[in-house]
Amino acid sequence: ELKVEQNPLFLSMQEGKNYTIYCNYSTTSDRLYWYRQDPGKSLESLFVLLSNGAVKQEGRLMASLDTKARLSTLHITAAVHDLSATYFCAAYSGGSNYKLTFGKGTLLTVNP
Amino acid sequence: DGGITQSPKYLFRKEGQNVTLSCEQNLNHDAMYWYRQDPGQGLRLIYYSQIVNDFQKGDIAEGYSVSREKKESFPLTVTSAQKNPTAFYLCASRSAGSYDGYTFGSGTRLTVV
């Protein structure tokens, strides 16, 4: 059974600082997804990582995937308040049903 | 614009009642999913459907039921057998053969009163 673990679960940052959120998964998976959720809202797709070594960047966020280490990272550069949200990673567990297993999420708060 | 519509946004249930959450998509997606979100618990899969008239249990299906009579619609019924139904419910869909992951609806917040 695929398990996905994120850390940290809570992250309080100052504006302008850098930080990384880690997403470890327990069994082989070559597809990893990152989502953002604002309070009381739906999940918005951020990145789709489909192969070992994949790196995607959008603004101040950069995601990478290392399938051998079963690890994905979401790096935040020079954080701004607008990045405050909960970030989820999700791994594909294989099979035709395309089930995604989600981590518990990282609540990011960026303080001025 | 294409998307997924969940209704209602807020729903209150009395003890012993069944309630149905609506999920409709106009994305022409084949697969649809229901997740439950509790604070600090991430998302847990309740039911999913790959094609019309077929669906499978997810990790926490007890106390829930679904139907898939139309490709566009995947309603979720929370039955009285679900002892702790207060949560945020998210519906999602995806296109078969796509690696893009899921598109999510805006969610329904269910509260037991």
Side-chain angles (χ1 to χ4, degrees):
Chain A
E1 180 189 346
L2 175 61
K3 294 190 187 303
V4 178
E5 189 172 302
Q6 281 181 243
N7 68 82
L9 298 182
F10 301 93
L11 177 55
S12 182
M13 299 175 62
Q14 287 205 311
E15 283 191 328
K17 299 293 187 181
N18 304 335
Y19 210 84
T20 300
I21 299 171
Y22 297 89
C23 175
N24 292 91
Y25 51 96
S26 60
T27 63
T28 301
S29 176
D30 58 2
R31 299 173 203 168
L32 198 292
Y33 301 83
W34 284 95
Y35 291 88
R36 168 183 170 141
Q37 185 181 39
D38 291 301
K41 304 292 186 183
S42 184
L43 272 71
E44 170 193 355
S45 179
L46 291 176
F47 299 109
V48 178
L49 303 168
L50 300 177
S51 61
N52 185 41
V55 177
K56 296 276 185 75
Q57 182 161 6
E58 180 74 33
R60 301 174 187 274
L61 301 177
M62 183 174 71
S64 65
L65 178 61
D66 182 343
T67 58
K68 294 179 182 178
R70 298 178 186 167
L71 171 69
S72 180
T73 61
L74 181 65
H75 186 72
I76 303 154
T77 301
V80 292
H81 180 69
D82 285 352
L83 290 179
S84 297
T86 299
Y87 293 85
F88 291 94
C89 65
Y92 162 61
S93 51
S96 60
N97 55 38
Y98 220 91
K99 287 168 51 179
L100 293 184
T101 299
F102 286 79
K104 292 188 175 182
T106 297
L107 176 58
L108 171 65
T109 303
V110 181
N111 304 302
Chain B
D1 285 337
I4 300 180
T5 301
Q6 287 188 243
S7 62
K9 188 173 176 68
Y10 299 97
L11 185 57
F12 298 90
R13 191 193 94 166
K14 293 181 180 178
E15 297 280 353
Q17 268 187 342
N18 292 354
V19 291
T20 297
L21 285 60
S22 171
C23 178
E24 304 275 336
Q25 54 99 358
N26 61 4
L27 299 166
N28 199 33
H29 284 176
D30 306 283
M32 298 185 74
Y33 305 79
W34 274 105
Y35 281 86
R36 168 178 172 145
Q37 185 177 21
D38 296 280
Q41 293 295 318
L43 279 69
R44 293 181 289 168
L45 181 64
I46 305 173
Y47 268 98
Y48 60 100
S49 168
Q50 303 291 301
I51 56 173
V52 173
N53 292 323
D54 188 44
F55 47 82
Q56 288 77 40
K57 293 181 179 180
D59 301 317
I60 56 165
E62 186 175 348
Y64 300 97
S65 66
V66 293
S67 63
R68 186 89 187 273
E69 297 177 2
K70 298 186 300 182
K71 186 176 183 179
E72 302 79 19
S73 178
F74 191 40
L76 174 74
T77 297
V78 184
T79 76
S80 58
Q82 172 48 242
K83 298 307 179 189
N84 184 22
T86 295
F88 189 51
Y89 290 86
L90 285 159
C91 179
S93 70
R94 64 172 285 270
S95 179
S98 167
Y99 295 157
D100 290 343
Y102 298 169
T103 300
F104 282 89
S106 55
T108 293
R109 185 164 299 281
L110 173 63
T111 304
V112 174
V113 295

mmCIF file of all heavy atoms in Angstrom, chain B residues 45-83:
data_model
loop_
_atom_site.group_PDB
_atom_site.id
_atom_site.type_symbol
_atom_site.label_atom_id
_atom_site.label_comp_id
_atom_site.label_asym_id
_atom_site.label_seq_id
_atom_site.Cartn_x
_atom_site.Cartn_y
_atom_site.Cartn_z
ATOM 1 N N LEU B 45 -9.707 8.715 0.001
ATOM 2 C CA LEU B 45 -10.573 8.326 -1.106
ATOM 3 C C LEU B 45 -11.781 7.543 -0.611
ATOM 4 O O LEU B 45 -11.636 6.539 0.092
ATOM 5 C CB LEU B 45 -9.768 7.492 -2.109
ATOM 6 C CG LEU B 45 -10.491 7.018 -3.350
ATOM 7 C CD1 LEU B 45 -10.931 8.200 -4.208
ATOM 8 C CD2 LEU B 45 -9.593 6.083 -4.162
ATOM 9 N N ILE B 46 -12.971 7.975 -1.030
ATOM 10 C CA ILE B 46 -14.209 7.310 -0.619
ATOM 11 C C ILE B 46 -14.658 6.325 -1.697
ATOM 12 O O ILE B 46 -14.815 5.130 -1.444
ATOM 13 C CB ILE B 46 -15.332 8.336 -0.360
ATOM 14 C CG1 ILE B 46 -14.893 9.393 0.649
ATOM 15 C CG2 ILE B 46 -16.590 7.629 0.134
ATOM 16 C CD1 ILE B 46 -15.891 10.528 0.819
ATOM 17 N N TYR B 47 -14.914 6.811 -2.888
ATOM 18 C CA TYR B 47 -15.342 5.997 -4.020
ATOM 19 C C TYR B 47 -14.749 6.597 -5.298
ATOM 20 O O TYR B 47 -14.431 7.782 -5.348
ATOM 21 C CB TYR B 47 -16.874 6.010 -4.153
ATOM 22 C CG TYR B 47 -17.604 4.907 -3.454
ATOM 23 C CD1 TYR B 47 -18.178 5.112 -2.200
ATOM 24 C CD2 TYR B 47 -17.753 3.651 -4.048
ATOM 25 C CE1 TYR B 47 -18.866 4.102 -1.550
ATOM 26 C CE2 TYR B 47 -18.454 2.638 -3.405
ATOM 27 C CZ TYR B 47 -18.997 2.871 -2.147
ATOM 28 O OH TYR B 47 -19.692 1.870 -1.512
ATOM 29 N N TYR B 48 -14.654 5.753 -6.338
ATOM 30 C CA TYR B 48 -14.269 6.262 -7.640
ATOM 31 C C TYR B 48 -14.961 5.458 -8.728
ATOM 32 O O TYR B 48 -15.409 4.328 -8.499
ATOM 33 C CB TYR B 48 -12.754 6.260 -7.820
ATOM 34 C CG TYR B 48 -12.082 4.911 -7.724
ATOM 35 C CD1 TYR B 48 -11.721 4.211 -8.868
ATOM 36 C CD2 TYR B 48 -11.764 4.357 -6.484
ATOM 37 C CE1 TYR B 48 -11.091 2.989 -8.789
ATOM 38 C CE2 TYR B 48 -11.133 3.128 -6.396
ATOM 39 C CZ TYR B 48 -10.792 2.455 -7.541
ATOM 40 O OH TYR B 48 -10.168 1.228 -7.457
ATOM 41 N N SER B 49 -15.033 6.077 -9.891
ATOM 42 C CA SER B 49 -15.720 5.466 -11.025
ATOM 43 C C SER B 49 -14.921 5.743 -12.289
ATOM 44 O O SER B 49 -14.568 6.888 -12.566
ATOM 45 C CB SER B 49 -17.135 6.043 -11.146
ATOM 46 O OG SER B 49 -17.717 5.674 -12.377
ATOM 47 N N GLN B 50 -14.675 4.679 -13.053
ATOM 48 C CA GLN B 50 -13.927 4.836 -14.296
ATOM 49 C C GLN B 50 -14.857 4.994 -15.500
ATOM 50 O O GLN B 50 -14.494 5.610 -16.507
ATOM 51 C CB GLN B 50 -13.036 3.613 -14.530
ATOM 52 C CG GLN B 50 -12.063 3.332 -13.400
ATOM 53 C CD GLN B 50 -10.985 4.378 -13.303
ATOM 54 O OE1 GLN B 50 -10.226 4.615 -14.223
ATOM 55 N NE2 GLN B 50 -10.908 5.045 -12.165
ATOM 56 N N ILE B 51 -16.049 4.380 -15.418
ATOM 57 C CA ILE B 51 -17.002 4.447 -16.523
ATOM 58 C C ILE B 51 -18.417 4.475 -15.966
ATOM 59 O O ILE B 51 -18.642 4.160 -14.787
ATOM 60 C CB ILE B 51 -16.867 3.246 -17.485
ATOM 61 C CG1 ILE B 51 -17.025 1.929 -16.716
ATOM 62 C CG2 ILE B 51 -15.541 3.278 -18.236
ATOM 63 C CD1 ILE B 51 -17.077 0.713 -17.610
ATOM 64 N N VAL B 52 -19.343 4.809 -16.825
ATOM 65 C CA VAL B 52 -20.755 4.848 -16.422
ATOM 66 C C VAL B 52 -21.199 3.476 -15.939
ATOM 67 O O VAL B 52 -20.773 2.445 -16.482
ATOM 68 C CB VAL B 52 -21.615 5.321 -17.612
ATOM 69 C CG1 VAL B 52 -23.110 5.216 -17.287
ATOM 70 C CG2 VAL B 52 -21.253 6.751 -17.986
ATOM 71 N N ASN B 53 -22.015 3.493 -14.883
ATOM 72 C CA ASN B 53 -22.613 2.276 -14.301
ATOM 73 C C ASN B 53 -21.586 1.361 -13.652
ATOM 74 O O ASN B 53 -21.870 0.163 -13.448
ATOM 75 C CB ASN B 53 -23.418 1.493 -15.350
ATOM 76 C CG ASN B 53 -24.654 2.251 -15.786
ATOM 77 O OD1 ASN B 53 -25.303 2.921 -14.983
ATOM 78 N ND2 ASN B 53 -24.974 2.155 -17.064
ATOM 79 N N ASP B 54 -20.432 1.893 -13.324
ATOM 80 C CA ASP B 54 -19.424 1.102 -12.625
ATOM 81 C C ASP B 54 -18.687 2.000 -11.642
ATOM 82 O O ASP B 54 -18.334 3.151 -11.964
ATOM 83 C CB ASP B 54 -18.435 0.498 -13.611
ATOM 84 C CG ASP B 54 -17.509 -0.490 -12.927
ATOM 85 O OD1 ASP B 54 -18.004 -1.308 -12.121
ATOM 86 O OD2 ASP B 54 -16.303 -0.449 -13.181
ATOM 87 N N PHE B 55 -18.453 1.486 -10.419
ATOM 88 C CA PHE B 55 -17.711 2.256 -9.434
ATOM 89 C C PHE B 55 -17.082 1.288 -8.451
ATOM 90 O O PHE B 55 -17.502 0.126 -8.319
ATOM 91 C CB PHE B 55 -18.609 3.278 -8.710
ATOM 92 C CG PHE B 55 -19.921 2.731 -8.215
ATOM 93 C CD1 PHE B 55 -20.009 2.033 -7.017
ATOM 94 C CD2 PHE B 55 -21.076 2.904 -8.963
ATOM 95 C CE1 PHE B 55 -21.219 1.540 -6.572
ATOM 96 C CE2 PHE B 55 -22.291 2.413 -8.525
ATOM 97 C CZ PHE B 55 -22.368 1.727 -7.327
ATOM 98 N N GLN B 56 -16.042 1.773 -7.766
ATOM 99 C CA GLN B 56 -15.298 0.948 -6.816
ATOM 100 C C GLN B 56 -15.144 1.681 -5.486
ATOM 101 O O GLN B 56 -15.086 2.915 -5.449
ATOM 102 C CB GLN B 56 -13.892 0.627 -7.349
ATOM 103 C CG GLN B 56 -13.849 -0.365 -8.489
ATOM 104 C CD GLN B 56 -14.241 0.258 -9.808
ATOM 105 O OE1 GLN B 56 -13.857 1.385 -10.082
ATOM 106 N NE2 GLN B 56 -15.026 -0.464 -10.594
ATOM 107 N N LYS B 57 -15.043 0.888 -4.433
ATOM 108 C CA LYS B 57 -14.811 1.451 -3.115
ATOM 109 C C LYS B 57 -13.374 1.944 -3.004
ATOM 110 O O LYS B 57 -12.439 1.324 -3.514
ATOM 111 C CB LYS B 57 -15.067 0.409 -2.030
ATOM 112 C CG LYS B 57 -16.518 -0.007 -1.903
ATOM 113 C CD LYS B 57 -16.690 -1.024 -0.785
ATOM 114 C CE LYS B 57 -18.158 -1.420 -0.647
ATOM 115 N NZ LYS B 57 -18.357 -2.421 0.440
ATOM 116 N N GLY B 58 -13.245 3.060 -2.293
ATOM 117 C CA GLY B 58 -11.927 3.549 -1.952
ATOM 118 C C GLY B 58 -11.532 3.066 -0.572
ATOM 119 O O GLY B 58 -11.960 2.005 -0.113
ATOM 120 N N ASP B 59 -10.747 3.868 0.118
ATOM 121 C CA ASP B 59 -10.197 3.452 1.406
ATOM 122 C C ASP B 59 -11.183 3.590 2.575
ATOM 123 O O ASP B 59 -11.018 2.940 3.600
ATOM 124 C CB ASP B 59 -8.945 4.277 1.707
ATOM 125 C CG ASP B 59 -7.888 4.101 0.626
ATOM 126 O OD1 ASP B 59 -7.683 2.951 0.186
ATOM 127 O OD2 ASP B 59 -7.294 5.106 0.204
ATOM 128 N N ILE B 60 -12.187 4.457 2.424
ATOM 129 C CA ILE B 60 -13.102 4.719 3.555
ATOM 130 C C ILE B 60 -14.550 4.728 3.073
ATOM 131 O O ILE B 60 -15.311 5.640 3.348
ATOM 132 C CB ILE B 60 -12.748 6.054 4.262
ATOM 133 C CG1 ILE B 60 -12.756 7.224 3.275
ATOM 134 C CG2 ILE B 60 -11.403 5.970 4.962
ATOM 135 C CD1 ILE B 60 -12.784 8.584 3.967
ATOM 136 N N ALA B 61 -14.981 3.690 2.375
ATOM 137 C CA ALA B 61 -16.309 3.669 1.749
ATOM 138 C C ALA B 61 -17.455 3.403 2.717
ATOM 139 O O ALA B 61 -18.621 3.669 2.385
ATOM 140 C CB ALA B 61 -16.319 2.623 0.644
ATOM 141 N N GLU B 62 -17.179 2.878 3.886
ATOM 142 C CA GLU B 62 -18.258 2.512 4.801
ATOM 143 C C GLU B 62 -19.105 3.714 5.186
ATOM 144 O O GLU B 62 -18.589 4.749 5.605
ATOM 145 C CB GLU B 62 -17.686 1.858 6.064
ATOM 146 C CG GLU B 62 -18.755 1.321 6.991
ATOM 147 C CD GLU B 62 -18.184 0.568 8.179
ATOM 148 O OE1 GLU B 62 -16.980 0.269 8.161
ATOM 149 O OE2 GLU B 62 -18.948 0.283 9.120
ATOM 150 N N GLY B 63 -20.439 3.557 5.034
ATOM 151 C CA GLY B 63 -21.351 4.640 5.376
ATOM 152 C C GLY B 63 -21.643 5.584 4.226
ATOM 153 O O GLY B 63 -22.366 6.565 4.399
ATOM 154 N N TYR B 64 -21.091 5.286 3.061
ATOM 155 C CA TYR B 64 -21.301 6.105 1.867
ATOM 156 C C TYR B 64 -21.818 5.237 0.729
ATOM 157 O O TYR B 64 -21.578 4.040 0.696
ATOM 158 C CB TYR B 64 -19.996 6.752 1.413
ATOM 159 C CG TYR B 64 -19.347 7.667 2.413
ATOM 160 C CD1 TYR B 64 -18.326 7.212 3.239
ATOM 161 C CD2 TYR B 64 -19.741 9.000 2.532
ATOM 162 C CE1 TYR B 64 -17.718 8.041 4.161
ATOM 163 C CE2 TYR B 64 -19.129 9.844 3.446
ATOM 164 C CZ TYR B 64 -18.119 9.362 4.259
ATOM 165 O OH TYR B 64 -17.522 10.203 5.171
ATOM 166 N N SER B 65 -22.527 5.881 -0.218
ATOM 167 C CA SER B 65 -22.911 5.187 -1.440
ATOM 168 C C SER B 65 -22.849 6.179 -2.597
ATOM 169 O O SER B 65 -22.933 7.391 -2.402
ATOM 170 C CB SER B 65 -24.310 4.572 -1.335
ATOM 171 O OG SER B 65 -25.283 5.596 -1.218
ATOM 172 N N VAL B 66 -22.687 5.634 -3.816
ATOM 173 C CA VAL B 66 -22.591 6.475 -5.009
ATOM 174 C C VAL B 66 -23.386 5.826 -6.131
ATOM 175 O O VAL B 66 -23.797 4.673 -6.053
ATOM 176 C CB VAL B 66 -21.129 6.661 -5.470
ATOM 177 C CG1 VAL B 66 -20.316 7.471 -4.468
ATOM 178 C CG2 VAL B 66 -20.472 5.323 -5.747
ATOM 179 N N SER B 67 -23.569 6.606 -7.192
ATOM 180 C CA SER B 67 -24.115 6.089 -8.435
ATOM 181 C C SER B 67 -23.419 6.804 -9.582
ATOM 182 O O SER B 67 -22.890 7.903 -9.410
ATOM 183 C CB SER B 67 -25.629 6.282 -8.509
ATOM 184 O OG SER B 67 -25.950 7.672 -8.501
ATOM 185 N N ARG B 68 -23.423 6.147 -10.752
ATOM 186 C CA ARG B 68 -22.829 6.782 -11.948
ATOM 187 C C ARG B 68 -23.715 6.405 -13.134
ATOM 188 O O ARG B 68 -23.388 5.576 -13.966
ATOM 189 C CB ARG B 68 -21.400 6.303 -12.161
ATOM 190 C CG ARG B 68 -20.693 7.057 -13.301
ATOM 191 C CD ARG B 68 -20.008 8.269 -12.861
ATOM 192 N NE ARG B 68 -19.462 9.076 -13.930
ATOM 193 C CZ ARG B 68 -18.241 8.910 -14.473
ATOM 194 N NH1 ARG B 68 -17.458 7.910 -14.071
ATOM 195 N NH2 ARG B 68 -17.819 9.722 -15.405
ATOM 196 N N GLU B 69 -24.864 7.063 -13.205
ATOM 197 C CA GLU B 69 -25.825 6.788 -14.269
ATOM 198 C C GLU B 69 -25.523 7.588 -15.521
ATOM 199 O O GLU B 69 -25.953 7.226 -16.625
ATOM 200 C CB GLU B 69 -27.234 7.063 -13.769
ATOM 201 C CG GLU B 69 -27.647 6.152 -12.622
ATOM 202 C CD GLU B 69 -29.035 6.491 -12.089
ATOM 203 O OE1 GLU B 69 -29.668 7.406 -12.644
ATOM 204 O OE2 GLU B 69 -29.456 5.840 -11.120
ATOM 205 N N LYS B 70 -24.813 8.691 -15.356
ATOM 206 C CA LYS B 70 -24.425 9.531 -16.499
ATOM 207 C C LYS B 70 -22.942 9.844 -16.383
ATOM 208 O O LYS B 70 -22.413 9.949 -15.271
ATOM 209 C CB LYS B 70 -25.216 10.838 -16.504
ATOM 210 C CG LYS B 70 -26.698 10.696 -16.634
ATOM 211 C CD LYS B 70 -27.360 12.063 -16.778
ATOM 212 C CE LYS B 70 -27.088 12.951 -15.575
ATOM 213 N NZ LYS B 70 -27.764 14.266 -15.691
ATOM 214 N N LYS B 71 -22.310 10.051 -17.499
ATOM 215 C CA LYS B 71 -20.877 10.351 -17.489
ATOM 216 C C LYS B 71 -20.596 11.637 -16.731
ATOM 217 O O LYS B 71 -19.580 11.777 -16.066
ATOM 218 C CB LYS B 71 -20.381 10.493 -18.934
ATOM 219 C CG LYS B 71 -18.891 10.674 -19.080
ATOM 220 C CD LYS B 71 -18.501 10.707 -20.547
ATOM 221 C CE LYS B 71 -16.989 10.820 -20.715
ATOM 222 N NZ LYS B 71 -16.603 10.824 -22.147
ATOM 223 N N GLU B 72 -21.531 12.587 -16.792
ATOM 224 C CA GLU B 72 -21.300 13.903 -16.213
ATOM 225 C C GLU B 72 -21.524 13.965 -14.710
ATOM 226 O O GLU B 72 -21.128 14.928 -14.062
ATOM 227 C CB GLU B 72 -22.241 14.928 -16.862
ATOM 228 C CG GLU B 72 -22.118 15.054 -18.361
ATOM 229 C CD GLU B 72 -22.831 13.946 -19.112
ATOM 230 O OE1 GLU B 72 -23.715 13.275 -18.522
ATOM 231 O OE2 GLU B 72 -22.497 13.715 -20.291
ATOM 232 N N SER B 73 -22.169 12.962 -14.136
ATOM 233 C CA SER B 73 -22.662 13.083 -12.772
ATOM 234 C C SER B 73 -22.209 11.940 -11.882
ATOM 235 O O SER B 73 -22.261 10.764 -12.288
ATOM 236 C CB SER B 73 -24.198 13.137 -12.816
ATOM 237 O OG SER B 73 -24.724 13.218 -11.523
ATOM 238 N N PHE B 74 -21.805 12.272 -10.653
ATOM 239 C CA PHE B 74 -21.331 11.252 -9.715
ATOM 240 C C PHE B 74 -21.753 11.670 -8.306
ATOM 241 O O PHE B 74 -20.945 12.116 -7.493
ATOM 242 C CB PHE B 74 -19.809 11.133 -9.824
ATOM 243 C CG PHE B 74 -19.197 9.952 -9.120
ATOM 244 C CD1 PHE B 74 -19.803 8.703 -9.148
ATOM 245 C CD2 PHE B 74 -17.975 10.066 -8.455
ATOM 246 C CE1 PHE B 74 -19.225 7.607 -8.527
ATOM 247 C CE2 PHE B 74 -17.389 8.982 -7.829
ATOM 248 C CZ PHE B 74 -18.017 7.745 -7.863
ATOM 249 N N PRO B 75 -23.030 11.521 -7.963
ATOM 250 C CA PRO B 75 -23.489 11.962 -6.636
ATOM 251 C C PRO B 75 -23.045 11.025 -5.523
ATOM 252 O O PRO B 75 -22.941 9.807 -5.725
ATOM 253 C CB PRO B 75 -25.015 11.953 -6.779
ATOM 254 C CG PRO B 75 -25.284 10.971 -7.875
ATOM 255 C CD PRO B 75 -24.125 11.050 -8.814
ATOM 256 N N LEU B 76 -22.806 11.594 -4.377
ATOM 257 C CA LEU B 76 -22.389 10.858 -3.185
ATOM 258 C C LEU B 76 -23.469 10.974 -2.114
ATOM 259 O O LEU B 76 -23.886 12.088 -1.779
ATOM 260 C CB LEU B 76 -21.082 11.433 -2.633
ATOM 261 C CG LEU B 76 -20.587 10.869 -1.291
ATOM 262 C CD1 LEU B 76 -20.028 9.458 -1.478
ATOM 263 C CD2 LEU B 76 -19.519 11.774 -0.683
ATOM 264 N N THR B 77 -23.931 9.842 -1.598
ATOM 265 C CA THR B 77 -24.889 9.846 -0.503
ATOM 266 C C THR B 77 -24.177 9.475 0.790
ATOM 267 O O THR B 77 -23.481 8.449 0.841
ATOM 268 C CB THR B 77 -26.052 8.878 -0.763
ATOM 269 O OG1 THR B 77 -26.776 9.320 -1.916
ATOM 270 C CG2 THR B 77 -26.999 8.825 0.428
ATOM 271 N N VAL B 78 -24.328 10.328 1.783
ATOM 272 C CA VAL B 78 -23.798 10.052 3.106
ATOM 273 C C VAL B 78 -24.942 9.460 3.909
ATOM 274 O O VAL B 78 -25.954 10.144 4.168
ATOM 275 C CB VAL B 78 -23.259 11.330 3.763
ATOM 276 C CG1 VAL B 78 -22.617 11.012 5.106
ATOM 277 C CG2 VAL B 78 -22.265 12.029 2.847
ATOM 278 N N THR B 79 -24.851 8.205 4.261
ATOM 279 C CA THR B 79 -25.958 7.526 4.924
ATOM 280 C C THR B 79 -25.878 7.675 6.441
ATOM 281 O O THR B 79 -24.848 8.107 6.982
ATOM 282 C CB THR B 79 -25.992 6.038 4.556
ATOM 283 O OG1 THR B 79 -24.948 5.369 5.277
ATOM 284 C CG2 THR B 79 -25.823 5.829 3.061
ATOM 285 N N SER B 80 -26.928 7.290 7.100
ATOM 286 C CA SER B 80 -26.972 7.357 8.558
ATOM 287 C C SER B 80 -25.968 6.400 9.186
ATOM 288 O O SER B 80 -25.640 6.518 10.367
ATOM 289 C CB SER B 80 -28.380 7.060 9.062
ATOM 290 O OG SER B 80 -28.800 5.797 8.611
ATOM 291 N N ALA B 81 -25.451 5.472 8.401
ATOM 292 C CA ALA B 81 -24.452 4.528 8.912
ATOM 293 C C ALA B 81 -23.073 5.176 9.075
ATOM 294 O O ALA B 81 -22.209 4.628 9.758
ATOM 295 C CB ALA B 81 -24.332 3.332 7.971
ATOM 296 N N GLN B 82 -22.898 6.334 8.475
ATOM 297 C CA GLN B 82 -21.628 7.054 8.609
ATOM 298 C C GLN B 82 -21.693 7.827 9.926
ATOM 299 O O GLN B 82 -22.413 8.824 10.040
ATOM 300 C CB GLN B 82 -21.411 7.980 7.428
ATOM 301 C CG GLN B 82 -20.224 8.940 7.533
ATOM 302 C CD GLN B 82 -18.918 8.291 7.961
ATOM 303 O OE1 GLN B 82 -18.351 8.606 8.999
ATOM 304 N NE2 GLN B 82 -18.443 7.366 7.158
ATOM 305 N N LYS B 83 -20.936 7.389 10.903
ATOM 306 C CA LYS B 83 -21.074 7.907 12.272
ATOM 307 C C LYS B 83 -20.407 9.248 12.493
ATOM 308 O O LYS B 83 -20.729 9.954 13.441
ATOM 309 C CB LYS B 83 -20.505 6.885 13.262
ATOM 310 C CG LYS B 83 -21.241 5.560 13.247
ATOM 311 C CD LYS B 83 -22.731 5.751 13.447
ATOM 312 C CE LYS B 83 -23.485 4.430 13.399
ATOM 313 N NZ LYS B 83 -24.953 4.650 13.380
#
